[in-house]
Amino acid sequence: MILKNPQAVDEAALPVLPIQEFRSTVLRAVLEGARLSAFFGRFINGKVKLYALLAHDETGECTAIATIVQDAYPSLTPECPQAQGFEREVAEQFAIRAEGHPWLKPVRSHRSPYPFFQVTGEETHEVAVGPVHAGIIEPGHFRFHCQGERILHLEIQLGYQHRGVEQLLAGSPAKRMPILAESIAGDTVIGHGLAFCEAMETLGGCQISPRAQALRGVALELERLANHAGDLGALGTDVGFLPAAAYFGRLRGEFLNLLMELTGSRYGRSFLRPGGVSYDLSETQRTDFEQRLARAQKELQTFARMLFDTPSVIDRFEGTGIVTRQVSEALGFVGSVARACGSHRDVRHDHPSGIYQFSHLPMMTADTGDVHARALVRWLEAERSLVFLREQLTSLPEGELHMPCSPMMPNRVAFSMVEGWRGEIVHVAITDAQGSIARYKVIDPSFHNWMGLAMAVRNGEISDFPLCNKSFNLSYAGHDL
């Protein structure tokens, strides 16, 4: 079934294929250039119904198909590596085996003893880091297999932040659901909140006003700017270039302050609700925003030139933590991580919704796949976001802030895709015969990209890990749900 982002369809109309046909359809689509954006299960009458959402970026369409399995099915992963995390998650949640999967380990549970990969040989050793780290970062365990300083393999064990978000979303009152969606990843409140709202609006047949769409876009780009500026500063810190941390830190604070003045919260909480937005931007605020964003645009250029024109910084960035485009395509990476490898994918460009249907942002890419490329893409995207914001503020359309949403239609499957600051966010909601949520699925961009960090450090020096890790800046909570 062909879908456009965001859309809800009758679940009975979704093709349910025999497992072999389901498998061959997915593999053929990926071979022809599609991506596996979502793959998840749901219990039905003692069996497991598997759903696959394939994104066709060139045509701006998605394909949704399903199959019914019990106990086991032939794994997709040997021929489609981007399915590896999804199949491990399905095995963990539904106790069904993906037969032939080369790495069918838990993605979140911590069974004991955990089957860590083993490397043996002369002068090999292991370095275990975490799950508790210095500072205030989230918990996660990193098991390095090294020979001297060289990393042979990195195994990442997550799940320490698992809160059961999907189950909570499926069983919560309507007023609580947006609060839960905003809490999936604390630094992606607008991204996940927007994906949730668009999924709910398609289920309720709600059309929001052009003004609400524009204000949502403003909030999403301010969130992107705050995080990209923060990451550029942190990358400077990791190579001992402290002026970048100071200047970009101040710039990040300005973007967070703008988000607070628009939404009432530095992280944008309670701004997005199904049907529209909670707050408007007055004429006085709009003028003030324009002036401050113009100043920020000049400062971003100055600070970025300072960072990227410093030879000692570039010497540490270039050639460190390389991920090739071939690996990116095979493992289905998304967001700035993928674009830094030369993979052309951006939901705002390929599957636009809301204001992005009318205002197009050029896609920023690099082709070296190293720390320098990931930093460069952030800088260029921040520049384009500032241009977008100034354009929106000069031509904010009229319209109601909030439109009423009808109750969710029964027996529907709805999906939405949003380009958050880390990359593609996908939400899928399935309703039962009473119009209540029967299954809610969340895919944070970090779910795709954690494997990218393991690939980036392979054969590199272990002392480069903090820099590589920062250049990815992935979410533990978004992965663990």
Side-chain angles (χ1 to χ4, degrees):
M1 172 177 281
I2 302 298
L3 305 170
K4 298 286 281 187
N5 175 45
Q7 188 174 347
V9 296
D10 188 344
E11 186 174 8
L14 203 66
V16 181
L17 309 175
I19 181 60
Q20 289 298 345
E21 187 178 349
F22 173 88
R23 188 175 183 278
S24 62
T25 300
V26 172
L27 295 178
R28 185 170 58 252
V30 171
L31 191 63
E32 292 172 353
R35 292 183 297 107
L36 194 57
S37 283
F39 180 87
F40 61 97
R42 176 190 174 198
F43 278 124
I44 293 182
N45 300 325
K47 297 183 179 179
V48 177
K49 188 172 183 178
L50 296 178
Y51 300 80
L53 181 70
L54 293 152
H56 306 273
D57 296 334
E58 290 190 359
T59 61
E61 297 175 334
C62 294
T63 303
I65 54 174
T67 188
I68 303 288
V69 299
Q70 188 172 20
D71 298 330
Y73 68 97
S75 172
L76 296 161
T77 300
E79 294 157 84
C80 176
Q82 58 188 268
Q84 62 86 24
F86 290 123
E87 291 195 314
R88 291 168 59 194
E89 182 183 52
V90 166
E92 183 177 83
Q93 293 179 341
F94 300 96
I96 57 174
R97 298 187 310 280
E99 293 182 332
H101 194 296
W103 191 263
L104 199 58
K105 297 184 177 186
V107 289
R108 299 186 183 97
S109 79
H110 297 156
R111 73 180 188 216
S112 182
Y114 186 86
F116 281 108
F117 185 70
Q118 297 291 312
V119 175
T120 57
E122 192 173 350
E123 297 184 0
T124 61
H125 61 279
E126 292 185 1
V127 179
V129 179
V132 178
H133 302 276
I136 55 171
I137 68 170
E138 298 174 281
H141 180 71
F142 301 91
R143 184 71 62 97
F144 297 90
H145 299 271
C146 300
Q147 188 172 44
E149 287 291 306
R150 186 167 68 96
I151 299 171
L152 301 176
H153 176 72
L154 167 62
E155 185 163 357
I156 303 170
Q157 184 195 37
L158 302 173
Y160 297 91
Q161 295 279 77
H162 182 52
R163 295 145 290 161
V165 168
E166 293 175 350
Q167 292 84 352
L168 288 170
L169 281 164
S172 293
K175 285 188 175 180
R176 192 183 181 205
M177 291 173 68
I179 300 170
L180 290 168
E182 291 173 347
S183 304
I184 291 170
D187 53 15
T188 316
V189 170
I190 300 296
H192 277 290
L194 181 54
F196 166 79
C197 288
E198 290 188 343
M200 294 299 105
E201 286 156 6
T202 58
L203 286 170
C206 178
Q207 293 287 333
I208 74 167
S209 72
R211 189 174 187 86
Q213 288 182 357
L215 291 172
R216 284 179 171 184
V218 169
L220 186 65
E221 296 309 318
L222 282 175
E223 183 175 79
R224 189 182 323 278
L225 281 165
N227 282 289
H228 280 1
D231 283 347
L232 289 171
L235 284 167
T237 301
D238 276 4
V239 297
F241 189 64
L242 298 185
Y247 288 121
F248 280 112
R250 185 176 64 75
L251 198 54
R252 175 177 181 269
E254 177 68 348
F255 295 135
L256 290 176
N257 288 339
L258 288 169
L259 193 57
M260 182 177 68
E261 291 174 33
L262 172 63
T263 69
S265 160
R266 279 167 64 86
Y267 294 98
R269 289 183 179 273
S270 303
F271 181 61
L272 304 176
R273 288 295 179 267
V277 297
S278 303
Y279 308 106
D280 201 356
L281 201 62
S282 69
E283 183 58 26
T284 304
Q285 283 180 306
R286 190 190 63 77
T287 304
D288 180 52
F289 271 42
E290 279 187 335
Q291 293 171 352
R292 291 163 67 180
L293 287 170
R295 188 164 59 244
Q297 203 168 10
K298 293 178 183 174
E299 290 180 343
L300 174 66
Q301 179 72 13
T302 302
F303 301 161
R305 287 262 61 98
M306 177 186 64
L307 180 69
F308 286 93
D309 287 349
T310 300
S312 61
V313 171
I314 298 305
D315 185 57
R316 291 287 288 118
F317 283 7
E318 286 184 338
T320 303
I322 294 174
V323 179
T324 65
R325 181 173 182 176
Q326 182 182 16
V327 170
S328 169
E329 300 287 342
L331 291 170
F333 299 153
V334 297
S336 56
V337 169
R339 292 190 285 276
C341 304
S343 296
H344 292 250
R345 55 189 60 157
D346 186 324
V347 174
R348 297 171 296 174
H349 181 272
D350 302 326
H351 306 274
S353 63
I355 190 63
Y356 300 104
Q357 298 172 92
F358 314 107
S359 183
H360 305 289
L361 283 87
M363 195 184 307
M364 298 292 110
T365 61
D367 56 11
T368 53
D370 52 8
V371 171
H372 181 265
R374 291 186 282 277
L376 182 64
V377 167
R378 282 180 169 89
W379 171 26
L380 298 176
E381 288 187 353
E383 285 194 328
R384 297 311 307 172
S385 292
L386 281 162
V387 172
F388 170 87
L389 285 173
R390 296 186 68 188
E391 289 174 352
Q392 294 306 311
L393 290 171
T394 56
S395 57
L396 271 181
E398 297 297 324
E400 298 291 330
L401 289 185
H402 194 272
M403 302 296 288
C405 279
S406 301
M408 291 183 286
M409 292 180 284
N411 298 317
R412 292 290 193 278
V413 179
F415 88 104
S416 64
M417 303 165 74
V418 168
E419 187 69 20
W421 68 272
R422 279 196 181 90
E424 178 183 286
I425 297 168
V426 178
H427 284 214
V428 183
I430 301 175
T431 57
D432 60 17
Q434 288 71 45
S436 301
I437 298 292
R439 176 78 165 99
Y440 201 98
K441 182 73 197 116
V442 176
I443 299 102
D444 185 89
S446 297
F447 188 82
H448 296 281
N449 289 351
W450 272 110
M451 185 60 79
L453 176 59
M455 294 294 106
V457 301
R458 187 168 288 182
N459 289 317
E461 294 186 6
I462 194 169
S463 54
D464 283 338
F465 174 72
L467 181 60
C468 289
N469 191 21
K470 177 52 65 182
S471 71
F472 279 75
N473 194 12
L474 302 174
S475 172
Y476 300 71
H479 172 278
D480 294 348
L481 300 177

